[in-house]
PDB file of all heavy atoms in Angstrom:
ATOM      1  N   ARG C 135    -105.331-178.582 106.838  1.00  0.00           N
ATOM      2  CA  ARG C 135    -104.699-177.631 105.932  1.00  0.00           C
ATOM      3  C   ARG C 135    -103.494-178.251 105.234  1.00  0.00           C
ATOM      4  O   ARG C 135    -103.302-178.083 104.027  1.00  0.00           O
ATOM      5  CB  ARG C 135    -104.281-176.390 106.714  1.00  0.00           C
ATOM      6  CG  ARG C 135    -103.743-175.241 105.854  1.00  0.00           C
ATOM      7  CD  ARG C 135    -103.467-174.031 106.737  1.00  0.00           C
ATOM      8  NE  ARG C 135    -103.054-172.877 105.945  1.00  0.00           N
ATOM      9  CZ  ARG C 135    -101.794-172.610 105.592  1.00  0.00           C
ATOM     10  NH1 ARG C 135    -100.832-173.459 105.952  1.00  0.00           N
ATOM     11  NH2 ARG C 135    -101.510-171.535 104.887  1.00  0.00           N
ATOM     12  N   ILE C 138    -104.503-180.880 102.529  1.00  0.00           N
ATOM     13  CA  ILE C 138    -105.052-180.203 101.349  1.00  0.00           C
ATOM     14  C   ILE C 138    -103.927-179.567 100.537  1.00  0.00           C
ATOM     15  O   ILE C 138    -103.881-179.681  99.304  1.00  0.00           O
ATOM     16  CB  ILE C 138    -106.083-179.145 101.772  1.00  0.00           C
ATOM     17  CG1 ILE C 138    -107.311-179.817 102.388  1.00  0.00           C
ATOM     18  CG2 ILE C 138    -106.482-178.268 100.589  1.00  0.00           C
ATOM     19  CD1 ILE C 138    -108.244-178.859 103.091  1.00  0.00           C
ATOM     20  N   PHE C 154    -105.099-175.456  87.467  1.00  0.00           N
ATOM     21  CA  PHE C 154    -105.449-175.703  88.867  1.00  0.00           C
ATOM     22  C   PHE C 154    -106.674-174.899  89.286  1.00  0.00           C
ATOM     23  O   PHE C 154    -106.847-173.748  88.913  1.00  0.00           O
ATOM     24  CB  PHE C 154    -104.274-175.339  89.769  1.00  0.00           C
ATOM     25  CG  PHE C 154    -104.571-175.510  91.225  1.00  0.00           C
ATOM     26  CD1 PHE C 154    -104.664-176.773  91.786  1.00  0.00           C
ATOM     27  CD2 PHE C 154    -104.777-174.402  92.034  1.00  0.00           C
ATOM     28  CE1 PHE C 154    -104.955-176.938  93.135  1.00  0.00           C
ATOM     29  CE2 PHE C 154    -105.055-174.554  93.382  1.00  0.00           C
ATOM     30  CZ  PHE C 154    -105.152-175.825  93.929  1.00  0.00           C
ATOM     31  N   GLN C 161    -112.264-182.715  93.417  1.00  0.00           N
ATOM     32  CA  GLN C 161    -112.442-183.980  92.704  1.00  0.00           C
ATOM     33  C   GLN C 161    -111.302-184.947  93.012  1.00  0.00           C
ATOM     34  O   GLN C 161    -111.516-186.149  93.197  1.00  0.00           O
ATOM     35  CB  GLN C 161    -112.538-183.722  91.197  1.00  0.00           C
ATOM     36  CG  GLN C 161    -113.796-182.977  90.771  1.00  0.00           C
ATOM     37  CD  GLN C 161    -113.772-182.594  89.302  1.00  0.00           C
ATOM     38  OE1 GLN C 161    -112.764-182.765  88.608  1.00  0.00           O
ATOM     39  NE2 GLN C 161    -114.881-182.059  88.812  1.00  0.00           N
ATOM     40  N   TYR C 171    -112.932-175.382 101.673  1.00  0.00           N
ATOM     41  CA  TYR C 171    -113.108-174.034 102.188  1.00  0.00           C
ATOM     42  C   TYR C 171    -113.285-174.008 103.704  1.00  0.00           C
ATOM     43  O   TYR C 171    -113.059-172.977 104.347  1.00  0.00           O
ATOM     44  CB  TYR C 171    -114.308-173.368 101.518  1.00  0.00           C
ATOM     45  CG  TYR C 171    -114.068-173.005 100.072  1.00  0.00           C
ATOM     46  CD1 TYR C 171    -114.949-173.411  99.081  1.00  0.00           C
ATOM     47  CD2 TYR C 171    -112.959-172.251  99.699  1.00  0.00           C
ATOM     48  CE1 TYR C 171    -114.738-173.083  97.745  1.00  0.00           C
ATOM     49  CE2 TYR C 171    -112.741-171.918  98.368  1.00  0.00           C
ATOM     50  CZ  TYR C 171    -113.634-172.333  97.400  1.00  0.00           C
ATOM     51  OH  TYR C 171    -113.412-172.003  96.086  1.00  0.00           O
ATOM     52  N   GLU C 186     -96.223-172.603 101.227  1.00  0.00           N
ATOM     53  CA  GLU C 186     -95.713-173.007 102.530  1.00  0.00           C
ATOM     54  C   GLU C 186     -95.373-174.494 102.552  1.00  0.00           C
ATOM     55  O   GLU C 186     -94.351-174.904 103.119  1.00  0.00           O
ATOM     56  CB  GLU C 186     -96.743-172.687 103.610  1.00  0.00           C
ATOM     57  CG  GLU C 186     -96.272-173.017 105.013  1.00  0.00           C
ATOM     58  CD  GLU C 186     -97.265-172.614 106.079  1.00  0.00           C
ATOM     59  OE1 GLU C 186     -98.357-172.108 105.733  1.00  0.00           O
ATOM     60  OE2 GLU C 186     -96.959-172.812 107.270  1.00  0.00           O
ATOM     61  N   ARG C 257     -76.772-152.268 107.282  1.00  0.00           N
ATOM     62  CA  ARG C 257     -77.291-151.980 105.944  1.00  0.00           C
ATOM     63  C   ARG C 257     -77.123-153.178 105.029  1.00  0.00           C
ATOM     64  O   ARG C 257     -78.017-153.509 104.239  1.00  0.00           O
ATOM     65  CB  ARG C 257     -76.553-150.771 105.360  1.00  0.00           C
ATOM     66  CG  ARG C 257     -76.992-150.330 103.977  1.00  0.00           C
ATOM     67  CD  ARG C 257     -78.352-149.656 104.002  1.00  0.00           C
ATOM     68  NE  ARG C 257     -79.450-150.581 103.847  1.00  0.00           N
ATOM     69  CZ  ARG C 257     -80.707-150.300 104.153  1.00  0.00           C
ATOM     70  NH1 ARG C 257     -81.028-149.118 104.654  1.00  0.00           N
ATOM     71  NH2 ARG C 257     -81.647-151.176 103.964  1.00  0.00           N
ATOM     72  N   LEU C 278     -85.448-172.752  84.442  1.00  0.00           N
ATOM     73  CA  LEU C 278     -86.272-173.943  84.670  1.00  0.00           C
ATOM     74  C   LEU C 278     -86.754-174.587  83.376  1.00  0.00           C
ATOM     75  O   LEU C 278     -86.857-175.816  83.282  1.00  0.00           O
ATOM     76  CB  LEU C 278     -87.478-173.603  85.559  1.00  0.00           C
ATOM     77  CG  LEU C 278     -87.208-173.605  87.061  1.00  0.00           C
ATOM     78  CD1 LEU C 278     -88.443-173.145  87.819  1.00  0.00           C
ATOM     79  CD2 LEU C 278     -86.760-174.977  87.543  1.00  0.00           C
ATOM     80  N   PRO C 294     -70.809-159.454  68.221  1.00  0.00           N
ATOM     81  CA  PRO C 294     -69.451-159.952  68.472  1.00  0.00           C
ATOM     82  C   PRO C 294     -69.128-160.090  69.962  1.00  0.00           C
ATOM     83  O   PRO C 294     -68.395-161.002  70.356  1.00  0.00           O
ATOM     84  CB  PRO C 294     -68.556-158.916  67.794  1.00  0.00           C
ATOM     85  CG  PRO C 294     -69.408-157.682  67.693  1.00  0.00           C
ATOM     86  CD  PRO C 294     -70.805-158.171  67.498  1.00  0.00           C
ATOM     87  N   GLY C 307     -77.371-173.068  83.309  1.00  0.00           N
ATOM     88  CA  GLY C 307     -78.398-173.815  84.020  1.00  0.00           C
ATOM     89  C   GLY C 307     -77.884-174.942  84.887  1.00  0.00           C
ATOM     90  O   GLY C 307     -78.679-175.609  85.554  1.00  0.00           O
TER      91      GLY C 307
END
Side-chain angles (χ1 to χ4, degrees):
R135 187 176 185 272
I138 293 168
F154 178 73
Q161 292 173 353
Y171 289 128
E186 183 176 2
R257 181 72 271 163
L278 277 175

